[in-house]
């Protein structure tokens, strides 16, 4: 079964939101990464609200790049 972008993007957003807590836990060194994650999450929210599938795909790929 294949996920649609409409299913995969919110799931990826949730994964990155969980990572934020990990990065905040390492102190000031994690703050820079958190700012990038929050920027990408805001872009994802905007793309989903506007129904912009090109932007959704772009930000989905950006979000997949965040790892713990």
């Amino acid at each position: 079964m294949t996920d649609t972008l409409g299913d995969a993007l919110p799931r990826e957003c949730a994964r990155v939101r969980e990572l934020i807590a990990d990065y905040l836990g390492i102190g000031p060194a994690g703050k820079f990464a958190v700012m990038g994650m929050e920027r990408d999450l805001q872009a994802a929210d905007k793309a989903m609200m506007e129904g912009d599938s090109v932007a959704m795909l772009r930000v989905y790929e950006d979000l997949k790049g965040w790892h713990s």
Side-chain angles (χ1 to χ4, degrees), residues 12 15-16 19 23 40 59-68:
E12 193 64 20
R15 184 188 71 80
V16 172
L19 283 178
Y23 275 81
D40 289 347
V59 75
Y60 174 71
E61 291 300 324
D62 291 342
L63 289 169
K64 287 190 338 184
W66 293 109
H67 299 283
S68 59

Side-chain angles (χ1 to χ4, degrees), residues 12-60:
E12 193 64 20
C13 288
R15 184 188 71 80
V16 172
R17 284 187 175 94
E18 290 178 6
L19 283 178
I20 288 175
D22 295 339
Y23 275 81
L24 288 174
I26 63 173
K31 186 66 175 170
F32 184 74
V34 168
M35 289 177 7
M37 289 180 208
E38 289 174 344
R39 179 202 60 226
D40 289 347
L41 289 168
Q42 289 173 356
D45 290 340
K46 182 177 186 278
M48 287 187 285
M49 286 188 296
E50 294 176 354
D52 185 343
S53 57
V54 173
M56 288 170 64
L57 184 57
R58 186 177 307 123
V59 75
Y60 174 71

